[in-house]
Amino acid sequence: MASGMFRRKAIVPPSEMAAEHQLARTLSWPHLVALGVGAIVGTGILTLIGVGADRAGPAVIVSFAVAGLICACAALAYAEMATMMPVSGSAYTYSYAVLGEVFAWVVGWSLLAEYTLVVATVAVGWSGYATGFLAGLGLALPDALTHGPTMADGAVASWGVNVPALVIVAVVAGLLMLGTKESATLNAVLVVVKVIALAVFVGVALPYFDGARLEPFSPFGFAKHLSADGVERGVMAAAAIIFFAFYGFDAISTAAEETKNPGRDLAIGIVGSMAACVAIYMIVAVAAVGALSYTRFADSPEPLALILREIGQPGAARFLAGSAVIALPTVILAFLYGQSRIFFVMARDRLLPESLARVSARGTPVRITLFTAAIVMLFAGFLPIDAIAALANAGTLTAFAAVAVCMLVMRRRAPDMARPFRAPAAWVVGAGAIVGCAYLFISLPSTTQLWFLGWNVVGLLLYFLFVARRQAV
């Protein structure tokens, strides 16, 4: 079994796979850029800027820059690996091919936490916006149908089923099963809506900018520390939370087998979407903290809309909220797409039931999409998502660091292997991603670190009890 644990997977070109395992190539680089921006620009910038400001003050601008720099290093590593190995599976596939099976399982298990919890969290967030929107139309839903179980003092305070969250996941899953290109086209349209909404925010808020609101700039310091009120604060504490707002570009690498020209388009999609989103986030952060004191919007679940209302722009606030209802499903689509493709490859590798690795006549993996949607709906509709959602950050940090390690190992193991995209200053970029991810992981709340440790202990037990034995047969 020990030798099997470290077996490395040979990368088989998609054209040489069985027809039932081949995905249809329908995407080009504009689809990929839109997929990345659709995944990255979502609840993170709409809600987490308030959480970040609470932990870092006006220096939340620096927190965005730090998180963006680390993600940029990871994005360059992803671009190199994705063009070297243009097959689905993302970090899981690279780890299997470069590091070995058990490492691939840990990364795949971590990605399960990332994608499932991101989709569930965004679905729950969308449900909140949609419930308020329906109430404004006189169609208020019963309270028990608008949220899952809520926790208080470690116990369930109230029971419920989040019906809107279940509905939106089902709708997006149905769209993905209809066809990848059709999904990507609709996603691109909705991404434009989101970007316009943020542009309206910046355009309305910037005239109210006052440099005095940035003083003191960093009231809680740089490193993570426990403040007197029991909250972990500092620029890095904020960056570790804000990191949630940046990831999503990794979903692009899962589209490798469905991309018409992966050697060119994957690099453009990954690096292009990441660069665009870093610029968007920095501009929005500056406009936000300059227009209103961070203490006024730090605890708000809708900080950008609150800022607009506070500066006397209720119409713009309503437009922003309406845009969120329309466009937030792009995040669900991108991550549900990415998760289904990772599961698809794990099933094809027999780490999940192989029967799930089948495609329909349209070239879409219907079975695995249904399987993925069912898992997400369980979390979104029936579990207290707020208690474990931070696991997503830990899972993502693990995947990002693994991809950077794979890039550096391949630079030593196969320096002459064809690389349609080569990360500049690879050793600096790789080290930046690895060290940065490790520091952000240390900066996560202690409870999140414990949850992540427990999650991976369970994952390894499953691997040794079931998966490794099946692989040895």
Side-chain angles (χ1 to χ4, degrees):
M1 184 182 293
S3 60
M5 286 170 51
F6 300 106
R7 71 165 66 90
R8 298 202 302 267
K9 180 176 76 169
I11 299 299
V12 179
S15 59
E16 298 179 14
M17 297 178 186
E20 63 189 17
H21 292 162
Q22 291 186 26
L23 299 165
R25 292 190 179 277
T26 58
L27 304 179
S28 54
W29 69 262
H31 292 116
L32 298 182
V33 171
L35 182 70
V37 175
I40 299 169
V41 178
T43 51
I45 190 62
L46 292 173
T47 63
L48 289 184
I49 189 171
V51 178
D54 181 56
R55 284 161 171 75
V60 67
I61 298 170
V62 178
S63 300
F64 271 104
V66 170
L69 179 61
I70 294 171
C71 283
C73 290
L76 291 170
Y78 264 92
E80 178 165 322
M81 293 304 300
T83 54
M84 283 180 67
M85 302 177 184
V87 292
S88 292
S90 187
Y92 157 78
T93 295
Y94 314 146
S95 298
Y96 207 157
V98 179
L99 305 177
E101 184 175 287
V102 69
F103 296 102
W105 174 263
V106 170
V107 170
W109 190 249
S110 298
L111 288 171
L112 169 60
E114 173 197 347
Y115 281 77
T116 301
L117 294 172
V118 168
V119 176
T121 301
V122 175
V124 171
W126 180 87
S127 173
Y129 279 107
T131 299
F133 181 74
L134 290 173
L137 298 177
L139 300 173
L141 296 175
D143 183 65
L145 299 182
T146 62
H147 63 80
T150 58
M151 306 293 291
D153 299 324
V156 176
S158 63
W159 294 94
V161 177
N162 199 325
V163 173
L166 295 176
V167 170
I168 193 62
V169 173
V171 169
V172 172
L175 182 62
L176 286 171
M177 288 186 286
L178 178 65
T180 302
K181 185 175 182 180
E182 292 81 358
S183 303
T185 301
L186 177 60
N187 175 73
V189 173
L190 296 181
V191 164
V192 171
V193 173
K194 277 198 294 192
V195 173
I196 289 174
L198 291 177
V200 168
F201 170 80
V202 171
V204 173
L206 267 183
Y208 295 86
F209 183 89
D210 183 353
R213 297 192 180 99
L214 274 62
E215 298 294 338
F217 184 69
S218 185
F220 307 113
F222 185 81
K224 183 187 81 169
H225 63 278
L226 192 64
S227 61
D229 58 359
V231 177
E232 293 176 334
R233 287 194 166 91
V235 169
M236 289 307 299
I241 301 297
I242 284 172
F243 180 74
F244 180 99
F246 278 97
Y247 59 77
F249 64 83
D250 51 322
I252 297 172
S253 62
T254 68
E257 290 181 31
E258 294 163 275
T259 302
K260 295 176 181 177
N261 185 355
R264 179 198 66 183
D265 295 347
L266 288 171
I268 295 174
I270 293 171
V271 178
S273 63
M274 190 65 223
C277 290
V278 169
I280 291 170
Y281 281 6
M282 292 297 294
I283 295 170
V284 171
V286 170
V289 297
L292 187 70
S293 171
Y294 76 92
T295 58
R296 302 270 294 278
F297 65 83
D299 296 325
S300 173
E302 45 166 6
L304 299 187
L306 174 65
I307 291 170
L308 292 174
R309 287 194 296 269
E310 289 288 315
I311 62 176
Q313 299 291 335
R318 285 192 295 271
F319 174 76
L320 185 71
S323 300
V325 173
I326 295 171
L328 275 182
T330 61
V331 181
I332 300 174
L333 187 149
F335 277 92
L336 193 62
Y337 170 87
Q339 184 183 6
S340 66
R341 270 47 178 183
I342 292 170
F343 278 178
F344 177 81
V345 179
M346 292 180 75
R348 202 164 60 187
D349 292 339
R350 301 179 67 240
L351 296 187
L352 292 174
E354 194 173 7
S355 61
L356 294 173
R358 298 283 191 277
V359 298
S360 69
R362 297 175 63 91
T364 57
V366 172
R367 293 184 184 183
I368 203 68
T369 301
L370 283 171
F371 174 74
T372 305
I375 293 176
V376 170
M377 290 170 77
L378 173 66
F379 278 83
F382 304 99
L383 296 180
I385 192 70
D386 57 323
I388 52 177
L391 264 178
N393 277 13
T396 306
L397 289 167
T398 300
F400 283 10
V403 172
V405 169
C406 289
M407 180 187 71
L408 297 181
V409 169
M410 290 303 291
R411 283 291 182 108
R412 292 295 300 271
R413 182 185 295 165
D416 298 325
M417 186 174 177
R419 290 171 170 81
F421 176 86
R422 295 180 66 91
W427 292 95
V428 175
V429 167
I434 295 167
V435 174
C437 287
Y439 193 74
L440 285 179
F441 184 88
I442 294 171
S443 300
L444 284 170
S446 302
T447 52
T448 299
Q449 296 168 0
L450 291 175
W451 271 105
F452 184 70
L453 176 63
W455 174 260
N456 276 288
V457 168
V458 171
L460 286 172
L461 285 174
L462 289 174
Y463 174 80
F464 288 115
L465 288 175
F466 302 106
V467 179
R469 292 183 180 183
R470 187 171 70 244
Q471 291 291 81
V473 174

